[in-house]
Amino acid sequence: MVRENGHGVRPPNEGSGRVSTKVRTADTRERILTAACEAIAEIGFEKIRMRMVAERAGVSTALLHYHFDTREKLFTEAMTHSFANTAVDVDRDAETAPPAVTLARIVRNLLPTDPELHQDWRLWQELWVRALRDEATRAYAVDLYAQLHAWVAGAVRRGIASGEFAPTDVDDLCTLVLSLSDGYGIRLMLRDPAITQDTALRSIWRHVSAALGLPDTLPEPTP
């Protein structure tokens, strides 16, 4: 008998075949979380219904509930999924790329600089609103910020350790970078004509470069 997530039953509609249950389960979760991110970003968490996500993911409602028994659990897992995918893409060659290039990628990915990151930002805005009204969501949001802080700090510390960056108060710099990214990101999401992606990136990088002894020109993105 299949056992997953503590259940002594096979997930509904998972079926059987040559592909392992673990692989099918991972694929199903990936489709559900991708669909949840899209749906929440489009219509907002308060209006989302599990059925909408199931239809978008191409799974049954029963199967969706097997993996995520509440909307709240689906929401937090979707946020984690979104952040993890961004981090994996940015850090794909973090051990071999120049530290300044990796840090510049992170700065770009902290702002809504492309359609996928724009979707991520809509999720973050939903998180902020829920966190103001729900204690569990607030705690989760604080934890996600701690992960973002650690992400930036890791890149800064690698650069300091290699000698490419000047020593600095890492935690203070990371807090500043995240705060500036939030402020500029909100105005970009509002399509404030006074702020462009370029001006936001240049401003954030100016503070980063001053603290780390780097050129004030943001490194160009690499393939």
Side-chain angles (χ1 to χ4, degrees), residues 3-222:
R3 290 187 179 273
E4 298 213 12
N5 298 329
H7 296 277
V9 295
R10 186 182 298 277
N13 297 331
E14 286 282 311
S16 61
R18 299 177 65 182
V19 180
S20 71
T21 299
K22 183 178 291 187
V23 171
R24 288 198 305 274
T25 299
D27 177 69
T28 299
R29 286 178 64 86
E30 173 76 19
R31 284 189 288 128
I32 291 172
L33 289 171
T34 298
C37 289
E38 294 172 354
I40 294 168
E42 285 180 17
I43 66 175
F45 176 76
E46 297 303 329
K47 295 181 180 179
I48 207 73
R49 297 294 178 266
M50 299 290 265
R51 174 181 53 77
M52 299 175 185
V53 176
E55 290 175 353
R56 188 181 290 250
V59 302
S60 68
T61 304
L63 182 55
L64 174 60
H65 279 285
Y66 173 84
H67 289 282
F68 305 98
D69 53 0
T70 66
R71 285 196 315 152
E72 288 71 21
K73 183 176 180 180
L74 179 60
F75 178 72
T76 56
E77 291 278 356
M79 288 294 306
T80 301
H81 175 77
S82 174
F83 170 67
N85 281 353
T86 298
V88 166
D89 179 61
V90 171
D91 292 339
R92 62 188 182 276
D93 58 354
E95 298 302 322
T96 57
V101 170
T102 299
L103 186 55
R105 282 184 194 156
I106 291 175
V107 169
R108 286 189 176 90
N109 277 268
L110 289 173
L111 294 171
T113 51
D114 64 31
E116 289 185 3
L117 292 168
H118 191 276
Q119 175 179 288
D120 289 348
W121 259 84
R122 293 180 72 95
L123 293 176
W124 274 97
Q125 291 175 314
E126 291 290 325
L127 180 68
W128 290 336
V129 171
R130 282 189 54 74
L132 295 175
R133 298 193 297 262
D134 178 74
E135 177 59 24
T137 306
R138 185 201 65 78
Y140 175 72
V142 170
D143 180 68
L144 271 186
Y145 266 107
Q147 293 181 51
L148 283 174
H149 188 101
W151 188 35
V152 179
V156 173
R157 290 194 173 101
R158 284 195 297 271
I160 293 174
S162 70
E164 182 173 334
F165 298 168
T168 192
D169 185 325
V170 176
D171 288 331
D172 185 66
L173 177 61
C174 293
T175 298
L176 178 63
V177 168
L178 293 179
S179 298
L180 289 171
S181 298
D182 280 350
Y184 280 117
I186 289 170
R187 295 182 69 178
L188 288 171
M189 291 296 289
L190 293 173
R191 299 192 297 277
D192 185 337
I195 300 295
T196 67
Q197 289 183 13
D198 286 343
T199 58
L201 287 167
R202 284 200 302 269
S203 177
I204 297 171
W205 190 255
R206 185 166 60 250
H207 290 281
V208 170
S209 61
L212 298 177
L214 298 172
D216 60 7
T217 301
L218 187 72
E220 290 298 317
T222 56

